[in-house]
């Protein structure tokens, strides 16, 4: 069964595209998603992470889906991977050390002691106006693989890591995002 889950996971991961090339749409922040249009540096990384989760859950609830719960182990893995991509200057689901999302979630204990699980991961980075939570979620919604992760009815939990930098440049207003999605039984 792990092979099937890994195959599905790998297909979802292959859909990753740098969001700097995906056109977004401008609109007002949904009610309840504070900081959705906030650029890095004018708000905290935690505020942008919270806004991103709010926007993802807004997309889910618009489709009569239950919102995702934030899980600290998923968030720890997401933040660690975001920091590693920036420090090591790469933008991939597999680290330079060869670790993938399953390895990262196993090391946090998220996958320990469960028989069935499903995980996914979205990555993004942006500069300037493309670095807000809103533009990140818009970009993911316009990408079939990312959208599939965010709207997967089987996912119950989310983790997020946001860092004010990019893996490829030193732009003054920039952010890199990692979301991890999971369910386990």
């Amino acid at each position: 069964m792990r092979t099937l889950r890994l195959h599905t996971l790998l297909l979802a991961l292959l859909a990753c595209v740098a969001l700097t090339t995906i056109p977004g749409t401008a609109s007002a922040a949904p009610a309840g998603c504070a900081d959705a249009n906030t650029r890095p540096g004018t708000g905290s990384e935690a505020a942008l992470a919270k806004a991103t989760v709010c926007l993802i859950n807004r997309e889910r609830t618009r489709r009569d889906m239950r919102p995702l719960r934030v899980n600290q182990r998923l968030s720890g893995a997401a933040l660690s991977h975001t920091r590693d991509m920036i420090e090591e200057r790469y933008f991939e689901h597999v680290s330079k050390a060869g670790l993938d999302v399953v390895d990262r979630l196993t090391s946090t204990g998220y996958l320990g002691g469960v028989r069935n699980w499903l995980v996914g991961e979205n990555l993004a980075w942006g500069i300037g106006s493309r670095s807000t939570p809103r533009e990140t979620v818009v970009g993911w919604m316009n990408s079939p693989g990312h959208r599939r992760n965010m709207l997967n009815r089987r996912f119950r939990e989310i983790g997020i890591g946001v860092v004010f930098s990019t893996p490829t440049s030193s732009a003054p207003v920039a952010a890199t995002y990692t979301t991890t999605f999971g369910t386990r039984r």
Side-chain angles (χ1 to χ4, degrees), residues 55-138:
L55 291 165
I56 290 169
N57 278 333
R58 181 65 58 146
E59 293 292 343
R60 291 175 63 88
T61 58
R62 282 182 183 152
R63 291 160 178 82
D64 295 323
M65 299 170 66
R66 75 171 66 170
L68 299 168
R69 294 180 313 273
V70 174
N71 177 286
Q72 292 308 310
R73 290 181 179 183
L74 290 173
S75 289
L79 183 57
S80 176
H81 186 57
T82 305
R83 288 178 177 154
D84 188 60
M85 287 190 296
I86 290 166
E87 290 169 12
E88 298 295 323
R89 298 285 186 213
Y90 69 95
F91 184 71
E92 301 288 338
H93 290 283
V94 178
S95 73
K96 287 189 173 183
L99 302 175
D100 64 16
V101 66
V102 174
D103 297 318
R104 291 188 289 277
L105 294 177
T106 298
S107 74
T108 68
Y110 182 77
L111 298 179
V114 295
R115 296 182 52 186
N116 295 306
W117 51 266
L118 177 70
V119 298
E121 179 176 73
N122 285 358
L123 306 176
W125 66 268
I127 296 172
S129 64
R130 296 282 194 197
S131 60
T132 67
R134 166 168 315 294
E135 288 301 316
T136 299
V137 173
V138 166

Side-chain angles (χ1 to χ4, degrees), residues 137-156:
V137 173
V138 166
W140 281 335
M141 287 300 290
N142 287 323
S143 167
H146 295 106
R147 181 184 178 96
R148 202 167 22 257
N149 277 342
M150 292 190 308
L151 301 180
N152 186 326
R153 290 185 182 275
R154 292 170 38 193
F155 288 140
R156 298 289 182 250

